[in-house]
Amino acid sequence: MTASSKTTVCIDGMNLALKKGSGIATYGRNLLSNLNAMGMETQVLYGPAATFNRRDLLNEIALTDAYSPNVRPWRRAWEHHTGRFGRPARAVAPTDEIIWPARGGGRPPVSAFWSSPRLYGLAGGAFGQSKVFTPVAFRGHPTVSRPDVMHWTTAMPLRARGMANVYTIHDMIPLRLPHTTLDNKRMFLRLCRKIAKKADHIAVVSEATRRDVIRLLGVPEHRVTNTYQSVGIPPRLLARDDTEVAATIENVFKVPWKGYFLYFGAIEPKKNLARIVEAYLASGVSQPLIVVGGRAWLDEDETALMHQARRDKAVRKKKLLLWDFLPFSLLVDLIRGARGTVFPSLYEGFGLPVLESMSLGTPVITSTAASLPEVAGDAALMVDPYDVTGLTRHFRALAADDDLAADLSARGRIQAAKFTPEAYQARLADLYGRVGVR
């Protein structure tokens, strides 16, 4: 590897390192793949538990290691005390010897990694104690280019020295719908206000979030760019024919092709699962409802009706089917085979399940709230997210009307084409151009 003359963008690896991933991890992976397609050089900044080593092999192992060494209390206290004065990041050149976990998306497609041990926890602690951002200094390396841009994929109290800093704010939900999150709202607002002052530019993923950022944080319009998102589904999954997918669905889930409704996403208050289940049961439709989602936070009220209904043996076996987690390939099959995806969230920064479903030709029922009308356009059945009666009518209509299902499928594919990788890349080029990077 040699130092490159290409524009180099580094993103944080905080969410990429999570074992079960997250929506922000998906955002980060899609961002990297599109930057690579634009001809930029990409890197990731990790904050592993292990300290830096002289050997690149051990440094790369630390990025994915399941073992977390104990940190001596005196070191932890010292790091928290000094972290606000800055943390070094050292380059890790990939060795091609490490097999990265496939479930987390495998090794990110980047030219180099940077390592700053325990960076993200230390920065959070320093901000909580001192209300300051932790600066990161990228140490020189003979074969690895320092980034031109550090792109933080979510709001975090960090700033890279000597380069442009771009922060993505996905939504302002802790402030708009405080009852749906466990965030410390005062801390969240303080963090976002600091970003509003310190960022070279702020990226958002919808016009709804852009309006919230400008209004709630007082950011001038020219400092906030909406990039939207795009869908990244591997071609090998798209190449499978309907017959093969239908057989998989029948064998794994015991449901027929286009014979069930689907919700997928985290189970948390803003996702509106309680009203989805209420409307589904009230509709009396014969097709099962499959729920795919891990429990997140404040989920008790959202799942209470579902669990009560599933105590009925007939409902549990034939009507309400619950899966905590699925491999991505199975989830794609399940989306393709659904009669419709049901996603009437109370609020979304973007709403990727709507776009993923439309791109796969699956009809969508979604809500009129926040960013979802931007994503769905006129290609979905829309409902006020608090209107259970309206949602019930949409269940019945889509279950009974084949022509409606076919029309929504066709219009959904057309709408999804507005969020192609090429369109996303053009918006990213505009974003980085605003901080002087081409």
Side-chain angles (χ1 to χ4, degrees), residues 95-132:
T95 64
D96 295 324
E97 298 292 344
I98 309 303
I99 300 173
W100 286 57
R103 182 164 290 180
R107 193 181 90 178
V110 299
S111 63
F113 307 112
W114 295 87
S115 175
S116 183
R118 297 177 292 281
L119 174 65
Y120 299 106
L122 291 171
F127 186 72
Q129 292 176 6
S130 306
K131 305 178 182 61
V132 297

Side-chain angles (χ1 to χ4, degrees), residues 235-412:
R236 62 181 175 79
L237 299 181
L238 299 175
R240 301 181 70 209
D241 62 41
D242 291 349
T243 303
E244 183 181 1
V245 173
T248 297
I249 292 168
E250 177 67 36
N251 291 333
V252 176
F253 303 101
K254 311 304 180 187
V255 292
W257 174 259
K258 298 300 179 184
Y260 57 91
F261 289 94
L262 174 66
Y263 165 83
F264 62 99
I267 296 178
E268 56 175 288
K270 74 169 183 174
K271 300 299 185 182
N272 213 18
L273 181 60
R275 291 187 181 86
I276 293 173
V277 173
E278 181 183 354
Y280 169 75
L281 293 173
S283 71
V285 300
S286 60
Q287 296 95 330
L289 171 64
I290 299 179
V291 174
V292 179
R295 296 174 63 177
W297 50 81
L298 300 174
D299 67 301
E300 293 85 359
D301 290 344
E302 294 304 304
T303 59
L305 179 59
M306 178 174 64
H307 291 319
Q308 290 178 58
R310 293 183 79 244
R311 293 191 189 109
D312 183 315
K313 190 174 182 180
V315 171
R316 184 170 68 251
K317 287 190 174 182
K318 296 182 180 180
K319 300 282 282 183
L320 278 168
L321 309 177
L322 178 62
W323 293 75
D324 290 338
F325 172 80
L326 289 176
F328 185 66
S329 57
L330 268 182
L331 179 60
V332 170
D333 286 349
L334 199 61
I335 298 169
R336 283 181 61 178
R339 180 70 172 190
T341 291
V342 189
F343 197 77
S345 290
L346 302 181
Y347 215 90
E348 290 289 333
F350 182 76
L352 197 57
V354 172
L355 181 57
E356 290 171 329
S357 298
M358 293 192 304
S359 70
L360 292 168
T362 298
V364 171
I365 299 172
T366 192
S367 85
T368 56
S371 64
L372 292 167
E374 297 177 54
V375 180
D378 65 351
L381 296 177
M382 309 293 291
V383 65
D384 183 306
Y386 300 93
D387 182 3
V388 175
T389 300
L391 184 55
T392 300
R393 286 196 294 267
H394 284 336
F395 266 116
R396 290 172 178 161
L398 188 53
D401 193 334
D402 291 340
D403 289 338
L404 173 63
D407 179 56
L408 288 173
S409 175
R411 284 193 282 147

Side-chain angles (χ1 to χ4, degrees), residues 139-154:
R139 295 282 177 84
H141 191 282
T143 61
V144 177
S145 303
R146 291 175 72 256
D148 301 297
V149 178
M150 183 66 216
H151 191 145
W152 307 100
T153 60
T154 188

Side-chain angles (χ1 to χ4, degrees), residues 39-75:
M40 293 190 178
E41 185 171 339
T42 54
Q43 302 172 344
V44 178
L45 171 62
Y46 284 97
T51 56
F52 203 79
N53 193 278
R54 295 178 181 178
R55 299 175 182 175
D56 273 338
L57 179 65
L58 289 176
N59 290 326
E60 187 175 356
I61 286 172
L63 305 184
T64 63
D65 198 356
Y67 167 71
S68 296
N70 290 325
V71 181
R72 294 180 180 179
W74 66 266
R75 175 178 284 276

Side-chain angles (χ1 to χ4, degrees), residues 175-193:
L175 304 181
R176 296 299 312 275
L177 283 82
H179 62 285
T180 66
T181 81
L182 293 174
D183 299 86
N184 181 322
K185 278 66 179 186
R186 180 177 295 180
M187 191 71 71
F188 178 79
L189 179 58
R190 181 180 294 133
L191 173 61
C192 290
R193 282 179 169 169

